[in-house]
Structure formats: C-alpha cells, structure tokens
Amino acid sequence: MVLGFGGYLFLPVALSAYFLKIPVVIHEQTLEAGFTNKRIAMFAKKVCISWEFPRSFFLKKKVV
C-alpha cells in the first residue's frame, strides 16, 4: 500500500503504484482538497479526511 498526503511529488509515485497494482490511499488533512489529491482520488482505494468539508471533493464511497 502507498499512503500519500498530496503534493506534486506524490503524483508520479501514486501513478507508478497504480500501474503496478499497489493500492493507493490518500489523506487530505486540510479544509480544501489540493490539486494532486483531487487527481489521485480517481484511482485511489480510499480517501481519508480530517475535516468534513473536503468530503464534497471526493466520491462518497471512498471517503473515510
């Protein structure tokens, strides 16, 4: 499993993991979802959030 917290450096890591069939989990710790986390959420297994507000940026079935 690959766990990421966003940032431009995580994008190539998450894409590589996805293509290698390694599960990707992201954590959005801020009140607004970042650019990278919004893109990675499309193929992430789970999206963990610290606040309720970012829930609207992600698919409801993936959010924990």
Side-chain angles (χ1 to χ4, degrees):
M1 178 179 82
V2 174
L3 173 64
F5 296 88
Y8 68 94
L9 290 176
F10 183 58
L11 186 58
V13 173
L15 288 173
S16 299
Y18 175 74
F19 288 121
L20 292 171
K21 307 260 190 273
I22 299 170
V24 176
V25 176
I26 59 175
H27 184 271
E28 182 56 59
Q29 66 274 12
T30 60
L31 289 174
E32 187 170 334
F35 176 82
T36 303
N37 279 351
K38 287 180 187 176
R39 301 307 177 264
I40 295 171
M42 291 183 265
F43 55 84
K45 292 284 183 187
K46 292 288 179 186
V47 177
C48 304
I49 58 173
S50 296
W51 308 95
E52 281 299 313
F53 184 73
R55 185 179 297 272
S56 62
F57 294 104
F58 307 112
L59 290 175
K60 291 180 183 181
K61 66 180 182 176
K62 292 185 177 186
V63 175
V64 177

